[in-house]
Amino acid sequence: MKYQVDGPEDAPWLVIGPSLGTTWHMWDRQIPELSQHWRVFRYDLPGHGGAPAHPATAVGDLADRLLATLDGLGVQRFGYAGCSIGGAIGADLALRHPHRVASLALVAASPRFGSADEFRQRGVIVRTNGLEPMARTAPERWFTPGFAAAQPAIVEWAVQMVRTTDPGCYIAACEALAAFDIRGELGRIGVPTLVLVGAEDQVTGPAEARTLVAGIPDARLALVPGASHLAPVEQPAAVSDLLLMHFSTSWQDTIAAIPAPPVAPALSAPVMPVAEIAPAAVRPDAGAAGRGEAHANAVKVRREVLGDAHVDTVNASADAFTEDFEDLVTRYAWGEIWTREGLDRRTRSCVTLTALVASGRLEGLAAHTRAALRNGLTPAEIKEVLLQTAVYCGIPAAGAAFAIARSVIQEETTPPA
């Protein structure tokens, strides 16, 4: 992990995490103040700012990598402030390692960042078009219009941070945010927490901040006027003052106050499945609770592959006549087959597209073209799959499939205006 340390060697540690597409330099204007009081540790996400490009598709994985680096430095107890995905990492640490976190500040954060579909589509756009679309739209996501107009040099600096990010690591971070959801866990964050948000943040704004404050027992809200998503850059003095006040007055010194927990599962599971569901013949029935867990996992996989919008539409149209069929599809297609380790999801998408063309079941092709893009296939690879089907399944069927796939690809990969 690439990191920078500032401040007195004998001061307590304060860890600061960046936003997606930025580097540790987004905190440069806080360092002169913070480093007078704390030993400040800043880090870059994988593939950001020249950090090694080792993608991580779960927030819990990013948190574990950070903790391993801190362990190597002998850092046991620390305060933590993070922006956006950096805030998600801090929340994950506070939930799974509460004995390590002395105080927490969540900046432009949320218990769930938008929708899973939104972030997976962002990954599809980057995979198809590179990072230029994200770089071009970064200023309007990160800054208020007045600041962007008055500070063109800072805007260009921000755009360059995105352009120099490794695309694969950016896509993986999008997957991590797509899977991140701690709405049901907020009550277990037991550390003093400052929730700081720009009053004009259109990405994770005041509504998300209030959700965090309402759910975390010891939390307070700080609304920064004249700031959007990157409040530390846009209003550095105000953010520095708020962080100084919070970490100076809300620092939990007694490690024994929060006992070290037993080993806990990661909050955000990796996108790829990690275990094959064993046949019933070799695994005893776990009862209703076990079946419920298996069904929930199957639904999760179905949503990851097909998207929330598709699954919600299917569920909304189900009735007493079709619900058993939908349950069968969920259990066997998504709980048994799509979770097997023998093929990765990219390959399964290739097989599925081919099977739909071969069988003439083109009504499912649009959904599975979207799934193929989310599973990592590029438009060029989808084209090759359909060309292969033209040879072995027939020109008319492949021609109809090309028309459907082209429409979906144009819709899914067109960068935002």
Side-chain angles (χ1 to χ4, degrees), residues 11-17 38-41 43 63 66-71 74-81 89-94 96-105 191-192 246-247 250-253 255:
W13 286 85
L14 177 61
V15 178
I16 301 182
W38 293 282
R39 183 77 164 158
V40 182
F41 174 103
Y43 66 93
L66 171 60
L67 211 57
T69 302
L70 294 172
D71 287 344
V75 180
Q76 290 300 310
R77 190 86 166 150
F78 53 87
Y80 185 96
I89 292 168
D92 183 276
L93 289 171
R96 294 193 296 128
H97 304 280
H99 58 298
R100 303 290 295 272
V101 181
S103 189
L104 181 65
V191 64
H246 173 68
F247 287 113
S250 302
W251 192 278
Q252 210 165 49
D253 289 320
I255 295 179

Side-chain angles (χ1 to χ4, degrees), residues 29-93:
R29 297 178 72 180
Q30 279 71 49
I31 297 306
E33 293 286 342
L34 297 181
S35 63
Q36 292 182 35
H37 306 273
W38 293 282
R39 183 77 164 158
V40 182
F41 174 103
R42 290 181 286 168
Y43 66 93
D44 279 336
L45 297 167
H48 290 58
H54 302 305
T57 57
V59 168
D61 187 10
L62 292 167
D64 288 344
R65 294 184 192 186
L66 171 60
L67 211 57
T69 302
L70 294 172
D71 287 344
L73 294 173
V75 180
Q76 290 300 310
R77 190 86 166 150
F78 53 87
Y80 185 96
C83 181
S84 196
I85 192 172
I89 292 168
D92 183 276
L93 289 171

